[in-house]
Amino acid sequence: VADREPGRAAEDLVAAGWAFCTSGYYHGRLFEAVFQAAQGWPGESSDAQCKLYEVHLALRAFREDVYSRFGLPPDAARAARPRLV
């Protein structure tokens, strides 16, 4: 993953986190890595931003007990939120 263009590793982590959420599987270290990578990521892909926001919502709704330790800060969650046109 390190030889890819910058930001691609974060997009891959977001996609993996989203897949885990849609499968109903929780893996704490993966989700911690997703949100850690997303903090320094410009988020150029609208698909990846949407997935990041969906992961945020799913974990906040179903795993709030552990999500509160590493989740997106409120300002980052607002930035990832899809905008309706």
Side-chain angles (χ1 to χ4, degrees), residues 21 35 50-63 67 72 77 81-82:
C21 281
F35 292 114
C50 185
K51 286 180 181 175
L52 178 66
Y53 190 69
E54 289 175 359
V55 169
H56 160 73
L57 290 179
L59 292 176
R60 195 176 79 186
F62 300 112
R63 296 301 305 248
Y67 179 62
L72 284 177
R81 184 177 182 179

Side-chain angles (χ1 to χ4, degrees), residues 34-80:
V34 167
F35 292 114
Q36 184 178 24
Q39 287 181 5
W41 167 55
E44 295 169 1
S45 166
S46 61
D47 183 50
Q49 276 187 301
C50 185
K51 286 180 181 175
L52 178 66
Y53 190 69
E54 289 175 359
V55 169
H56 160 73
L57 290 179
L59 292 176
R60 195 176 79 186
F62 300 112
R63 296 301 305 248
E64 189 173 10
D65 55 329
V66 290
Y67 179 62
S68 61
R69 287 186 271 153
F70 61 82
L72 284 177
D75 58 330
R78 278 189 299 278

Side-chain angles (χ1 to χ4, degrees), residues 9-27:
E11 287 184 23
D12 290 345
L13 279 171
V14 169
W18 183 83
F20 274 51
C21 281
T22 59
S23 301
Y25 184 74
Y26 173 80
H27 189 277

